[in-house]
Amino acid sequence: MVDRSALGHEFPPYRLHVERGKIAEFARSILSEEQIYYSTEGARAAGFEDVPVPPTFSAVESHWNRNRQDVLKLDLRRVLAGGCEWEYLKPVVAGEVLTVRSRIADIHTKMSKRGPMTVVVRETRFDNEAGDTAFIARSTVLEMPPRDQGNDAA
């Protein structure tokens, strides 16, 4: 059961170094052949200062985060991915160092076919060295209601 007192919880910030090699690996993983992700020349020809990060690159952030805290107390047997969204505000290019700040932005209940489920939204901001927010990622997890004991056929 979700610990609703986690609403508003802020995780310790950390720094994410945007590396050219990681951008290329990520671009390959999403099957992009856009040269802007593989070469500085290609990126500059497209108007970027350096190799830009592809959309959804923030997914690599979860591999850098060493400050995992189980503040939600989710029952992982009942958790589903509820979706992700990104809000892009400024381009991010290789060589930048971003400060990553995450918080629990929302916890609410929504009715499902099996009963009330809990919806949790985590918002993560990526700020550049000038202190400007470059983009915001929001991920949603769903904690489904427990199945009735002895009525697991649903």
Side-chain angles (χ1 to χ4, degrees):
M1 185 63 120
V2 171
D3 180 357
R4 292 180 182 272
S5 70
L7 179 61
H9 177 82
E10 295 183 9
F11 296 89
Y14 61 94
R15 296 172 72 85
L16 173 66
H17 296 260
V18 180
E19 300 173 9
R20 188 172 289 110
K22 295 297 179 194
I23 293 171
E25 288 175 5
F26 188 82
R28 276 192 292 277
S29 76
I30 60 172
L31 306 177
S32 175
E33 296 179 1
E34 300 265 353
Q35 285 307 300
I36 60 172
Y37 302 129
Y38 300 102
S39 79
T40 304
E41 295 78 22
R44 289 189 176 141
F48 294 97
E49 290 181 28
D50 206 320
V51 176
V53 300
T56 72
F57 180 77
S58 67
V60 302
E61 165 268 330
S62 61
H63 300 290
W64 284 80
N65 183 356
R66 300 287 182 236
N67 296 319
R68 298 176 193 267
Q69 300 173 336
D70 184 18
V71 298
L72 292 169
K73 311 295 185 211
L74 293 166
D75 182 346
L76 296 179
R77 297 170 297 178
R78 298 186 285 128
V79 170
L80 298 173
C84 296
E85 65 180 49
W86 290 266
E87 182 178 350
Y88 296 97
L89 305 169
K90 295 192 177 294
V92 174
V93 297
E96 288 193 74
V97 179
L98 303 174
T99 300
V100 182
R101 294 181 172 84
S102 293
R103 68 182 184 96
I104 304 300
D106 189 22
I107 300 174
H108 66 273
T109 302
K110 187 174 181 178
M111 190 55 70
S112 72
K113 289 181 181 177
R114 289 179 25 197
M117 65 179 173
T118 305
V119 179
V120 178
V121 179
R122 178 180 145 199
E123 181 178 274
T124 303
R125 292 181 171 269
F126 297 80
D127 297 337
N128 61 25
E129 292 174 287
D132 298 323
T133 299
F135 61 95
I136 302 168
R138 293 180 189 89
S139 62
T140 301
V141 295
L142 309 173
E143 186 181 53
M144 302 305 292
R147 292 182 183 264
D148 292 335
Q149 296 293 327
N151 188 16
D152 236 8

